[in-house]
Amino acid sequence: MGFIFYIVCYFLIFFSKASTAIDTISPSESLTDGMSLVSNDGSFALGFFSPDTSNNRYLGIWYHNDPMQTVVWVANRINPINDSTGVLQIESSGRIVLQVQTITAVWSTDTTASVENPVLQLLDSGNLVVKDGQDSNPENYLWQSFDYPSDTMLPGMKIGVDLRTGLDRRLSAWKNWDDPSPGDLTYGVDFRGGPELGIKKGLDKYFQTGLWIGHGFSGIRDGRSNSKKIFDYDCVEQK
């Protein structure tokens, strides 16, 4: 009976902890070093981390259940925090601010829209978004991390230029295992002569996919493994 009681208590504690995991913060809340947001389905987590042997602290998103803590996005890539006093907040304007000791901003976002009830939410896709908590459209984002990728492309993410805003979404490698700041290698879309994906080191081209031919790129395979398609490309024009 004692063993059964222990098992029951364990599961009650486990599910209690799972139920208290949050994926959203509002302007009245903050995220400090040691805390994390977890997406509703438990796939991704947002919090502070130190890469490899570095003591610097970064705000990032990683696979929540991965013991290796594989990081897929980093906010303050260029401005690391050298202690554990980092604080993440969303202001009433919808602006995200990452501060040190609640004084110095090391990273922030720009937003031109005005909302009454902004919230910051980590989605099941790994996308960190700012939206109006009273907006009935779940995909009406004021800001999203998918527009500012680091070195990882997740399903649903777009790579290329937004012709409406001029925003150029491209991946950039970490400098090294200890430093997530942008390295020399980038991966993005080149529109000269037609859209094609490519890897560059500075201005030098390392790899090109060939031109878009309506259902894929002319220079690469169609993403099949053992006759099963594991990923797909699509080319969308945004105006």
Side-chain angles (χ1 to χ4, degrees):
M1 286 295 294
F3 177 75
I4 295 174
F5 177 76
Y6 171 80
I7 293 295
V8 171
C9 288
Y10 172 83
F11 277 104
L12 285 174
I13 293 172
F14 175 82
F15 284 115
S16 174
K17 288 183 177 180
S19 64
T20 58
I22 59 172
D23 64 355
T24 305
I25 59 173
S26 66
S28 63
E29 302 167 318
S30 61
L31 190 77
T32 59
D33 200 322
M35 300 173 60
S36 63
L37 296 183
V38 178
S39 61
N40 185 59
D41 69 351
S43 295
F44 294 93
L46 168 78
F48 293 87
F49 74 99
S50 294
D52 206 34
T53 60
S54 173
N55 291 322
N56 288 329
R57 302 293 285 170
Y58 297 88
L59 178 73
I61 297 172
W62 59 84
Y63 290 107
H64 181 49
N65 295 316
D66 180 5
M68 299 297 293
Q69 197 182 49
T70 303
V71 176
V72 298
W73 182 79
V74 184
N76 56 319
R77 299 183 70 179
I78 300 175
N79 296 315
I81 301 171
N82 58 16
D83 56 30
S84 60
T85 61
V87 179
L88 177 70
Q89 293 178 309
I90 179 171
E91 298 177 341
S92 58
S93 63
R95 178 173 174 256
I96 312 172
V97 181
L98 176 60
Q99 295 177 307
V100 177
Q101 297 178 346
T102 67
I103 300 174
T104 305
V106 297
W107 176 83
S108 64
T109 62
D110 293 323
T111 178
T112 57
S114 178
V115 295
E116 295 183 0
N117 186 31
V119 294
L120 179 66
Q121 183 176 18
L122 180 61
L123 304 183
D124 294 342
S125 61
N127 194 8
L128 183 67
V129 303
V130 175
K131 62 181 184 178
D132 187 344
Q134 298 176 340
D135 195 333
S136 59
N137 183 356
E139 296 185 358
N140 190 16
Y141 308 138
L142 305 176
W143 180 92
Q144 58 178 329
S145 61
F146 272 16
D147 280 340
Y148 305 92
S150 294
D151 69 335
T152 303
M153 186 172 183
L154 296 172
M157 186 181 289
K158 295 182 178 70
I159 295 295
V161 179
D162 188 328
L163 300 179
R164 299 169 300 178
T165 63
L167 178 66
D168 187 4
R169 308 180 190 93
R170 60 178 57 241
L171 306 182
S172 57
W174 287 25
K175 274 192 175 180
N176 54 58
W177 293 109
D178 292 329
D179 186 356
S181 63
D184 294 331
L185 294 175
T186 61
Y187 177 71
V189 176
D190 188 350
F191 285 97
R192 289 174 294 182
E196 64 176 336
L197 287 167
I199 299 176
K200 290 183 178 180
K201 183 176 184 180
L203 297 176
D204 297 330
K205 294 183 178 180
Y206 266 37
F207 166 78
Q208 293 173 270
T209 60
L211 298 179
W212 177 255
I213 53 176
H215 56 83
F217 293 96
S218 61
I220 61 175
R221 299 179 63 184
D222 65 355
R224 294 180 183 273
S225 176
N226 297 326
S227 299
K228 182 180 180 181
K229 203 159 198 177
I230 56 176
F231 65 89
D232 198 4
Y233 290 100
D234 196 8
C235 187
V236 179
E237 183 177 357
Q238 289 185 316
K239 294 183 179 180

